Amino acid sequence: MRGEPADLDEEQLVRRVARGDRRAFEELYRRTSPWLTVRLRRRCADDQIVAEVLQETYLAVWRAADAFAGAAAGGTAVGWLWTIAARRLIDAFRRRAHHATPPLAAAPAPSMAADEEVLDGVVGDEVGDALRRLAPELRQVLQAMVLDGLTVRETSVLLGVPEGTVKTRARRARIAMREALA
């Protein structure tokens, strides 16, 4: 791969990071850390936890960039980053729960602009519209399980609701999506 890091896409940057290219890592961080921070803050209002998770995420990226399968496995670099971050966030929640200090609930957002922007980039117009019409608690479960690839248990920890509630909301969301797309 030739070219300056600023000229490369995220997947190419991760490939260069795997070879120890610090400039590529800096460019990847510059491009992805703002939206990753927003997504983490949507799920956790504790700035200290968000900062720790962000640091752990990029440390993991630096150490394990060679494990990124990319387009060959049907994934994207930003999807891979989010998966790492989401799992680190769940780990942080578990650590806090273990020390008897529950994490702060995510602050209610005044708008869904960040999530809608992500949805627009991931799903088509009809599906995106149907997702946006879902009740927020149903949309959160679908985003965590389908878009973020989390398990029921991970989604339960992330959203702070029992696993049974996650399963019920996922079922209700699938029914509502089916009806909206019929």
Side-chain angles (χ1 to χ4, degrees):
M1 278 179 272
R2 294 183 179 162
E4 290 297 311
D7 299 329
L8 303 174
D9 65 24
E10 287 80 7
E11 183 167 343
Q12 292 168 323
L13 289 172
V14 172
R15 301 264 182 247
R16 281 203 176 176
V17 170
R19 295 194 310 260
D21 185 334
R22 283 189 177 279
R23 288 181 53 219
F25 180 78
E26 290 167 1
E27 178 65 18
L28 183 67
Y29 180 85
R30 186 192 65 73
R31 282 189 205 175
T32 59
S33 64
W35 71 262
L36 192 55
T37 301
V38 168
R39 285 193 83 178
L40 289 168
R41 283 188 178 142
R42 301 265 317 174
R43 288 158 173 81
C44 178
D46 186 328
D47 287 337
Q48 182 180 355
I49 291 176
V50 170
E52 289 171 10
V53 168
L54 203 61
Q55 183 177 5
E56 290 174 11
T57 299
Y58 284 99
L59 181 61
V61 167
W62 178 255
R63 290 180 175 165
D66 59 337
F68 172 64
T76 65
V78 291
W80 181 66
L81 277 168
W82 172 244
T83 300
I84 293 169
R87 293 201 168 127
R88 294 295 187 276
L89 183 60
I90 289 166
D91 291 344
F93 285 169
R94 286 180 181 149
R95 282 192 304 271
R96 291 281 170 116
H98 179 71
H99 296 319
T101 304
L104 297 172
S111 78
M112 296 297 288
D115 282 355
E116 288 177 6
E117 190 174 316
V118 171
L119 286 176
D120 286 342
V122 175
V123 295
D125 290 335
E126 190 175 336
V127 175
D129 289 342
L131 276 170
R132 281 185 281 281
R133 286 192 300 268
L134 284 177
E137 67 273 9
L138 301 181
R139 184 173 47 249
Q140 288 174 334
V141 168
L142 271 189
Q143 285 178 303
M145 294 180 71
V146 177
L147 298 179
D148 299 338
L150 302 180
T151 66
V152 169
R153 171 173 271 158
E154 291 168 336
T155 301
S156 169
V157 171
L158 182 67
L159 299 178
V161 297
E163 289 182 37
T165 302
V166 170
K167 291 177 184 177
T168 300
R169 288 179 182 174
R171 183 175 181 277
R172 287 178 47 213
R174 283 192 300 272
I175 290 169
M177 289 295 291
R178 214 175 293 128
E179 290 172 357
L181 296 172

